[in-house]
Amino acid sequence: MTGGLSGRISAVQLCRPRLAEDITAILSDRDHQGIPQQDFTILPSRRNGLTLQVGGRYVHSGVAPAREAAQRVRQVLIKGHDGVVTVGMGLGYLHEALHGTASASGPSGGPVISVIFSTYLLTELLLRKSPDWWCTV
């Protein structure tokens, strides 16, 4: 696979062309970069994976972020809904948990839509998550 950001976007293009187009448009919009890079800190969690702080506050659990996301989804997911909108993607744990609850097209067949607040964090996700991840969530 081709390395770097453009290689990752090209890999996503193969399975999700519209998503790759949207990502390219977001990253190209220099007027709307969102939350500044210096406000983010990506750290190892105590048990497994990475966690995220924004402005010094944890977005995910500092201990077990994937487990925390799965618990939140079980607590708030309403059966039979038409889709889910998340505010921010964080490091993708919530998306993984949402997609793990039902079909590959999203929980209960509805779409999962994220509002992105930072091109820096979107870039980090592109570089840290495999193209397969982008094709399945």
Side-chain angles (χ1 to χ4, degrees), residues 9-40:
I9 294 171
S10 294
V12 173
Q13 174 77 31
L14 296 174
C15 63
R16 308 259 319 264
R18 177 61 195 261
L19 177 60
E21 182 181 309
D22 290 345
I23 288 170
T24 300
I26 290 167
L27 294 178
S28 299
D29 187 353
R30 297 290 174 213
D31 292 331
H32 298 95
Q33 296 299 299
I35 300 169
Q37 176 178 347
Q38 65 268 18
D39 288 349
F40 292 98

Side-chain angles (χ1 to χ4, degrees), residues 17 81 101 110 132:
H81 59 80
T101 61
D132 289 341

Side-chain angles (χ1 to χ4, degrees), residues 42-45 48-52 60-62 64-66 91 93 124 128:
I42 298 173
L43 305 162
S45 66
N48 190 13
L50 299 171
T51 191
L52 174 68
H60 304 297
S61 165
L91 294 177
Y93 295 113
E124 285 295 312
R128 291 175 185 269

Side-chain angles (χ1 to χ4, degrees), residues 32-41 52-55 59 87-88 115-122:
H32 298 95
Q33 296 299 299
I35 300 169
Q37 176 178 347
Q38 65 268 18
D39 288 349
F40 292 98
T41 307
L52 174 68
Q53 287 183 340
V54 178
V59 172
V87 179
V115 178
I116 305 286
F117 287 109
S118 168
T119 55
Y120 164 74
L121 197 54
L122 178 58

Side-chain angles (χ1 to χ4, degrees), residues 39-85:
D39 288 349
F40 292 98
T41 307
I42 298 173
L43 305 162
S45 66
R46 285 193 286 190
R47 290 204 181 140
N48 190 13
L50 299 171
T51 191
L52 174 68
Q53 287 183 340
V54 178
R57 298 184 73 156
Y58 280 98
V59 172
H60 304 297
S61 165
V63 178
R67 185 181 71 196
E68 174 201 47
Q71 288 171 341
R72 286 191 180 176
V73 167
R74 282 192 303 274
Q75 290 169 351
V76 301
L77 192 64
I78 299 168
K79 301 294 182 200
H81 59 80
D82 293 328
V84 176
V85 176

